[in-house]
Amino acid sequence: MDVKQALRQVELFEGLGDAELKQVAAICTQKVLHAGEMLIHQGEQGDQLYIVTEGFVEVVLSDSQQKEKRVVVNLGPGQIIGEITLLDQGPRSANVRATAEPTIVQSIHHHDFNNLCEQNNRIGYLVMRNMAADLSFKLRHRNLADLAGE
């Protein structure tokens, strides 16, 4: 599957037209991971968003002593990791490791995305709108779970 076709399946890019998806695809860099290989280390500085295009990754939280680890979620094709880095480039909140052989991800560097948004404000608007809707959904879900005593 070509990159533009893969991006079409990503909710973050919902609403973008073919020409806009082509522009996003042009700033993507492919990375091939082997099962067990780390993509992201918890606490490191974030500067890239990743899109899984083949295989699977698991998101793992570690406690402050790095002793206890808990798998939070498994992600596959069309799902994204590290989208918040497009906003703040803060430290990574979890470890991410490939679980399939091979796992292929596309990365988008924060700097490249910002440059693209300056060239095409519509891309930036739609991506940020989609990100805000997703974060709002997650926050609402978490608040409801807290109220329910989960």
Side-chain angles (χ1 to χ4, degrees):
M1 177 183 305
D2 76 339
V3 177
K4 187 174 91 170
Q5 197 61 21
L7 294 176
R8 190 180 313 284
Q9 298 175 16
V10 177
E11 287 183 16
L12 188 65
F13 302 117
E14 186 176 314
L16 297 181
D18 282 344
E20 293 160 329
L21 288 170
K22 186 176 179 180
Q23 288 178 292
V24 175
I27 63 169
C28 288
T29 303
Q30 181 172 290
K31 182 171 183 148
V32 179
L33 302 163
H34 300 285
E37 188 174 347
M38 296 297 289
L39 176 64
I40 293 173
H41 295 276
Q42 187 172 326
E44 73 183 1
Q45 187 73 26
D47 64 357
Q48 295 178 69
L49 153 79
Y50 296 97
I51 304 152
V52 180
T53 56
E54 185 178 323
F56 293 90
V57 298
E58 63 183 5
V59 178
V60 181
L61 285 177
S62 298
D63 65 14
S64 58
Q65 291 81 31
Q66 300 290 316
K67 292 180 182 176
E68 191 164 331
K69 296 179 181 183
R70 180 172 56 100
V71 175
V72 178
V73 68
N74 289 291
L75 302 173
Q79 295 182 299
I80 57 175
I81 306 133
E83 65 274 22
I84 301 302
T85 195
L86 296 181
L87 299 173
D88 70 1
Q89 295 177 287
R92 300 292 192 174
S93 59
N95 294 303
V96 178
R97 159 177 61 228
T99 59
E101 185 70 38
T103 295
I104 300 173
V105 298
Q106 299 294 326
S107 69
I108 298 176
H109 195 277
H110 174 269
H111 178 75
D112 295 333
F113 182 75
N114 281 344
N115 287 341
L116 177 60
C117 291
E118 287 178 15
Q119 294 169 13
N120 187 332
N121 298 125
R122 185 173 186 277
I123 292 174
Y125 168 75
L126 288 172
V127 169
M128 292 304 157
R129 183 194 69 189
N130 293 339
M131 189 182 309
D134 182 58
L135 292 172
S136 174
F137 172 81
K138 289 174 181 171
L139 182 60
R140 184 173 292 117
H141 177 72
R142 181 178 178 142
N143 287 342
L144 290 174
D146 289 346
L147 288 173
E150 291 182 0

